Amino acid sequence: MHLVLVGLSHKTAPIEMREKLTFPAARQAEALSLLTGDAAIAEAVILSTCNRTEVYALSSDVDRGVDAVLGFLADYHDLDRHDLVRYLYIVKGEAVVRHLFRVVSSLDSMVIGEAQILGQVKEAYEHAFENGATGRAFNRLFRQSFEVGKRVRTETAIGENAVSISYAAVELAKKVFDSLEGRTVLIIGAGKMSELTAKHLVCNGAVDVLVANRTYERAVELAERFSGRAIEYGSLFERMHDADIVISSTAAQDFVVRKPDVAEVMKGRRGRPLFFIDIAVPRDIDPAVNDLSDVYVYDIDDLNGVVESNLEERMREAERAEAIIEEEISEFLRWQESLEVVPTVAAIRAKAEAIRQAELERALKRLGGLSEKELATIDALTCAIVNKMLHGPTARLKAAAEEADGYLVVEAARELYGLDEAEGGRGPGLLRTLLNRKAREMHDTHAANETGDGLGC
């Protein structure tokens, strides 16, 4: 069997192209049916996210498999194939396993260590599985990939450090306050970054959100997203007295928060700290505010410093993740090699010998009192029967394995002899998948003949 991957991502294609190559969940069944309807594709999984679209395929021939996937992508989305190829990467064989394991471990993500991709790959696999597009190979490969993702998350700290400005703000806030539970957030300005930062603070325990904006209607709109309250811009410093965390991101060209204003706010707070996150450029908050007791001001450079430090830490953890991936690749390749003809023939003979020995032992107990010569004769007889029964099938199995699609015959033999029953899995075996596909092809041919014009069309 040959593993093939054709895809594009944020590394190879602009968003304009990525938007053209998406596969929404509602269209996955249709797309998978068309893809696996090609004789060159035995199994397939389509992964489609905002940052990547990848088609994983199992094919009897590498070149035919790649060509089939390229044609499918171009035809399905009505794109010029030659233009599309400029943005695609093509991966084959063992490299497909490595790529998938790195994807689920978020080592290939725009933000290394993000947790969302593992769930997205699981969803893609479930779509393929439920629509009969996977068999033994992809059931094993993708289920093992999920274990790889779990190992990387639990055995490394790759996802534990903030690597975005908004997350960095939360991390710094946690250093000021023992806990963010029950804290009040005041947002100055209704920009996207302020909203995102506030969202992360709320997710970490902040309960009350106040929004001040020069355009009051925009303040109301943003406050509603957090079940918060809009306040009049003129009462900003009066209401700041109630806040624990202030996020400021306006388009002002001069400071909107100055030291005397905050000094007045701090009166009567009895040492209760006030934390400012200034994510505006130019800055909204006068740096001199930081000189006040129990006041902490962090600007965009401070936040970027946290992000860069955490990125370095994640990169160190990524090295540990790569080592885990290499271990898992070796395990998958060992399983894959078990599908080759020599191990399969050996497994068939081992199973037959185990059965022969068990039945011989049972028979000899019933017979009893046999001489050494008689025992040797019976043993030789049963060996001869087993060898003669297996000689033809194993010889033909070895011959068939030399063909381009020989792995299909090997897989069929393993299924018929029950060699992989311990693997389990809800999905249909490859043999059953192929038989179902053949039945569909015969049905389609019959339907085409029924609708012909009687002239052999």
Side-chain angles (χ1 to χ4, degrees):
M1 67 182 161
H2 300 283
L3 296 171
V4 170
L5 163 63
V6 179
L8 53 71
S9 72
H10 58 280
K11 295 179 179 179
T12 67
I15 189 169
E16 293 80 11
M17 177 55 67
R18 301 203 304 273
E19 288 173 338
K20 295 177 181 178
L21 217 69
T22 59
F23 290 89
R27 299 184 66 185
Q28 284 262 345
E30 172 196 30
L32 288 163
S33 177
L34 288 172
L35 180 57
T36 56
D38 192 303
I41 306 299
E43 302 181 35
V45 172
I46 300 174
L47 173 62
S48 182
T49 74
C50 59
N51 283 329
R52 73 178 67 243
T53 292
E54 296 179 339
V55 176
Y56 294 81
L58 186 73
S59 179
S60 58
D61 181 86
V62 172
D63 294 334
R64 286 182 61 211
V66 170
D67 189 67
V69 175
L70 288 174
F72 161 74
L73 289 172
D75 294 344
Y76 191 84
H77 292 286
D78 194 24
L79 297 171
D80 180 83
R81 179 164 171 166
H82 296 291
D83 183 53
L84 176 61
V85 168
R86 295 191 296 120
Y87 301 99
L88 298 174
Y89 43 85
I90 297 171
V91 187
K92 306 171 186 177
E94 178 183 332
V96 175
V97 182
R98 179 172 287 102
H99 181 88
L100 175 61
F101 288 0
R102 295 188 80 253
V103 167
V104 297
S105 301
S106 76
L107 296 182
D108 196 59
S109 297
M110 185 176 288
V111 178
I112 292 176
E114 59 92 7
Q116 188 178 14
I117 187 63
L118 178 56
Q120 292 170 325
V121 177
K122 283 184 177 179
E123 185 177 352
Y125 167 71
E126 287 296 331
H127 282 307
F129 177 81
E130 290 167 4
N131 287 284
T134 64
R136 189 182 305 279
F138 273 11
N139 289 341
R140 172 65 182 244
L141 174 61
F142 278 84
R143 290 174 186 178
Q144 185 173 340
S145 79
F146 305 148
E147 294 303 315
V148 174
K150 290 178 185 176
R151 279 194 66 190
V152 169
R153 303 299 295 186
T154 57
E155 296 180 26
T156 76
I158 196 168
E160 293 183 6
N161 299 293
V163 289
S164 70
I165 293 297
S166 52
Y167 270 118
V170 173
E171 192 167 290
L172 287 173
K174 287 181 176 178
K175 291 181 179 179
V176 175
F177 303 100
D178 292 335
S179 170
L180 299 184
E181 293 291 335
R183 300 294 174 181
T184 296
V185 178
L186 169 60
I187 302 174
I188 307 174
K192 193 65 180 177
M193 187 62 75
S194 294
E195 178 184 351
L196 190 58
T197 305
K199 179 181 178 181
H200 292 316
L201 289 167
V202 169
C203 288
N204 280 269
V207 293
D208 197 11
V209 177
L210 308 175
V211 183
N213 193 64
R214 292 189 183 277
T215 304
Y216 184 72
E217 290 73 19
R218 281 286 295 126
V220 172
E221 182 183 336
L222 180 56
E224 287 177 348
R225 296 176 192 170
F226 298 100
S227 299
R229 293 171 288 162
I231 62 175
E232 295 289 346
Y233 196 80
S235 64
L236 173 63
F237 294 105
E238 179 183 342
R239 301 304 302 274
M240 191 179 291
H241 184 275
D242 302 323
D244 299 294
I245 301 167
V246 178
I247 305 167
S248 189
S249 180
T250 75
Q253 296 303 301
D254 201 357
F255 297 134
V256 298
V257 177
R258 298 179 182 275
K259 185 175 180 179
D261 300 318
V262 180
E264 190 66 27
V265 169
M266 296 304 292
K267 291 178 180 179
R269 286 176 65 96
R270 297 180 181 178
R272 187 160 58 94
L274 185 57
F275 178 63
F276 286 92
I277 304 169
D278 187 355
I279 47 183
V281 178
R283 288 177 292 179
D284 281 343
I285 301 170
D286 183 352
V289 171
N290 205 34
D291 297 334
L292 297 170
S293 298
D294 300 314
V295 176
Y296 304 85
V297 180
Y298 290 92
D299 61 25
I300 196 74
D301 283 349
D302 297 319
L303 296 172
N304 276 325
V306 174
V307 168
E308 290 173 6
S309 173
N310 288 345
L311 275 173
E312 291 177 5
E313 181 61 31
R314 282 201 178 187
M315 292 306 296
R316 283 192 289 271
E317 293 300 309
E319 293 179 7
R320 297 177 58 199
E322 296 283 10
I324 291 173
I325 287 170
E326 291 304 316
E327 288 178 21
E328 295 285 347
I329 289 172
S330 296
E331 181 180 334
F332 179 79
L333 294 179
R334 283 194 296 272
W335 175 83
Q336 190 178 37
E337 288 170 2
S338 75
L339 298 183
E340 299 299 325
V341 65
V342 173
T344 296
V345 169
I348 291 172
R349 289 194 169 277
K351 186 168 186 176
E353 176 61 16
I355 294 171
R356 184 190 76 84
Q357 290 282 2
E359 293 302 318
L360 179 61
E361 184 177 344
R362 187 178 295 109
L364 292 179
K365 285 180 179 178
R366 291 198 300 268
L367 291 172
L370 297 177
S371 66
E372 289 295 324
K373 183 178 180 181
E374 289 169 331
L375 290 173
T377 299
I378 294 174
D379 185 62
L381 172 65
T382 55
C383 279
I385 292 172
V386 169
N387 287 334
K388 287 183 180 295
M389 287 294 294
L390 293 182
H391 175 72
T394 54
R396 284 186 284 275
L397 187 60
K398 290 178 179 179
E402 299 299 322
E403 303 297 327
D405 60 352
Y407 82 95
L408 298 175
V409 180
V410 175
E411 171 65 16
R414 296 189 71 85
E415 187 164 338
L416 289 171
Y417 281 100
L419 299 182
D420 298 310
E421 289 175 352
E423 291 292 336
R426 297 178 295 152
L430 182 55
L431 177 62
R432 194 171 298 109
T433 299
L434 293 171
L435 291 173
N436 290 340
R437 181 177 301 166
K438 187 65 177 177
R440 289 199 303 270
E441 290 173 357
M442 292 175 66
H443 177 271
D444 293 343
T445 301
H446 176 70
N449 290 336
E450 287 290 316
T451 56
D453 62 4
L455 298 177
C457 297

